[in-house]
Amino acid sequence: MIIFKSARELAIMREAGLIVAECHALLGEKIKAGVSTLELDELVESYIRKKGAIPSFKGHHGFPASICASVNDVICHGIPNEQPLNEGDVITIDIGAKVNGYHGDSAWSYAVGQVSPQIEKLMRVTKECLFLGIDQAQPGKRIGDIGHAIQTYAESLKYGVVRDFCGHGVGRELWEDPEIPHYGHAGKGPAIKKGMTIAIEPMITMGRWQAKTDSDGWTARTVDGSICVQYEHTLAVTPEGPVILTQL
């Protein structure tokens, strides 16, 4: 069931989203070779709690950390550890914060030092995919329009669009209806209406789109070891169009 949000609820979600955006700004200054993802996790959890919020991910379906830290071929749900990042890595950090019962959710990919031109291009294209999807979140359109815009652009450049994981509604629950696939057919799926709050989070690969899961039950990787990056915003659908809730 899709839950539509009131102006009061959207204001709270904007608070949560702002904390997430502030965490990403902080990470942008901290991510470098030699830093471990566990250090980044501790930094984010400390900041979220200092702001009076709760890390959305910690304990969610048993997830053990406050961030998902997905390096190189990891698509999503990477568990932070003590392994230091290396020059040339690319890492996606997914963060959620809960304020007064409502969540904000955003992921961003970061270059660790100097990355290859191929990774730079993948990062640029994936970010473009995110905003192409957001542009489709207009009243009167359908969920399929979002996925179609993303898939058409990414595949035109010979990239893979992950299908095993998708975007979702956000609100009192971190994952709500509707699901937001990053592929699909224009004009299909649930109607997009005022008051919907959704997370769009394309995961784009240099190779195949299929995923496999590590023995930890969480870490999802590309089946062919190809690099994957991801960008995600939570947004609200308004009569004037989409409003991003997870940016400064």
Side-chain angles (χ1 to χ4, degrees):
M1 180 179 69
I2 297 173
I3 301 170
F4 297 91
K5 310 304 189 299
S6 67
R8 181 191 67 83
E9 291 173 305
L10 292 179
I12 299 171
M13 289 186 67
R14 173 60 179 145
E15 283 186 58
L18 186 58
I19 292 170
V20 171
E22 289 168 350
C23 286
H24 279 296
L26 188 62
L27 287 174
E29 302 172 358
K30 299 293 184 181
I31 290 174
K32 60 183 179 181
V35 173
S36 74
T37 53
L38 192 59
E39 291 175 72
L40 299 176
D41 179 67
E42 291 167 352
L43 178 71
V44 168
E45 179 170 357
S46 174
Y47 187 85
I48 290 172
R49 294 194 187 279
K50 184 178 75 174
K51 299 293 281 189
I54 298 169
S56 299
F57 297 169
K58 195 158 193 177
H60 182 69
H61 293 277
F63 191 75
S66 295
I67 64 171
C68 298
S70 304
V71 181
N72 294 335
D73 67 323
V74 177
I75 296 170
C76 60
H77 303 157
I79 297 173
N81 57 48
E82 295 180 347
Q83 180 74 28
L85 295 170
N86 296 310
E87 180 81 12
D89 285 342
V90 61
I91 180 171
T92 298
I93 304 289
D94 197 353
I95 303 171
K98 183 167 74 169
V99 172
N100 294 333
Y102 291 85
H103 296 273
D105 182 12
S106 174
W108 219 248
S109 289
Y110 300 89
V112 181
Q114 185 65 45
V115 297
S116 69
Q118 293 84 0
I119 291 176
E120 283 187 344
K121 182 180 178 184
L122 178 66
M123 293 173 74
R124 175 178 58 79
V125 169
T126 306
K127 192 182 294 184
E128 289 168 350
C129 284
L130 169 64
F131 286 100
L132 285 170
I134 289 172
D135 285 345
Q136 295 298 313
Q138 307 278 350
K141 286 190 171 280
R142 292 191 173 270
I143 295 299
D145 295 322
I146 296 172
H148 179 74
I150 292 168
Q151 181 183 18
T152 300
Y153 182 59
E155 291 184 352
S156 75
L157 296 170
K158 309 302 182 188
Y159 292 119
V161 180
V162 173
R163 302 188 183 199
D164 301 73
F165 304 94
C166 63
H168 50 88
V170 186
R172 282 194 170 275
E173 299 295 332
L174 183 59
W175 298 337
E176 294 183 350
D177 290 333
E179 291 189 344
I180 316 289
H182 303 112
Y183 62 95
H185 300 285
K188 302 294 185 181
I192 298 172
K193 298 179 181 179
K194 170 191 169 185
M196 291 174 66
T197 46
I198 58 176
I200 299 174
E201 49 180 313
M203 299 157 231
I204 308 298
T205 76
M206 282 189 183
R208 294 170 61 188
W209 60 261
Q210 291 89 346
K212 60 182 179 181
T213 304
D214 285 2
S215 59
D216 61 24
W218 282 102
T219 307
R221 300 179 185 273
T222 56
V223 293
D224 57 0
S226 62
I227 299 292
C228 180
V229 302
Q230 175 193 12
Y231 291 91
E232 174 189 22
H233 272 312
T234 299
L235 58 100
V237 178
T238 77
E240 292 74 39
V243 173
I244 297 171
L245 301 177
T246 45
Q247 66 182 1
L248 296 177

